[in-house]
Amino acid sequence: NPTNGIVNINSLKESINSIKVMDIQGKELAFYDNLNAKMNDIDMASFENGVYFVKIELANGTTEVAKIVKTDK
């Protein structure tokens, strides 16, 4: 973090069920479902520069939120 394109999301213990990308106002911009994997990549190259939040739902039902900064560099 920051990123200019691909964001790698990894979970050490549980599989990732879904990933939601939201802008700073909470508007959903992308949603990836039925992933069932511990490693996933999100391509943010087409997103405008700025701050985004990534909400990750794990197989056990817990969720985590990460802040991502998108830049051109």
Side-chain angles (χ1 to χ4, degrees), residues 18-22 28-32 53-56:
S18 66
I19 299 171
K20 181 189 299 188
V21 181
M22 299 167 287
E28 183 179 307
L29 302 174
F31 184 70
Y32 308 91
F53 294 98
V54 177
K55 183 176 181 180
I56 304 155

Side-chain angles (χ1 to χ4, degrees), residues 39-71:
M39 295 186 297
N40 292 277
D41 294 333
I42 298 175
D43 186 359
M44 295 184 69
S46 64
F47 286 53
E48 296 289 324
N49 289 347
V51 177
Y52 297 90
F53 294 98
V54 177
K55 183 176 181 180
I56 304 155
E57 182 183 341
L58 302 177
N60 66 3
T62 61
T63 59
E64 298 180 21
V65 177
K67 181 174 82 170
I68 305 293
V69 177
K70 167 67 170 66
T71 66

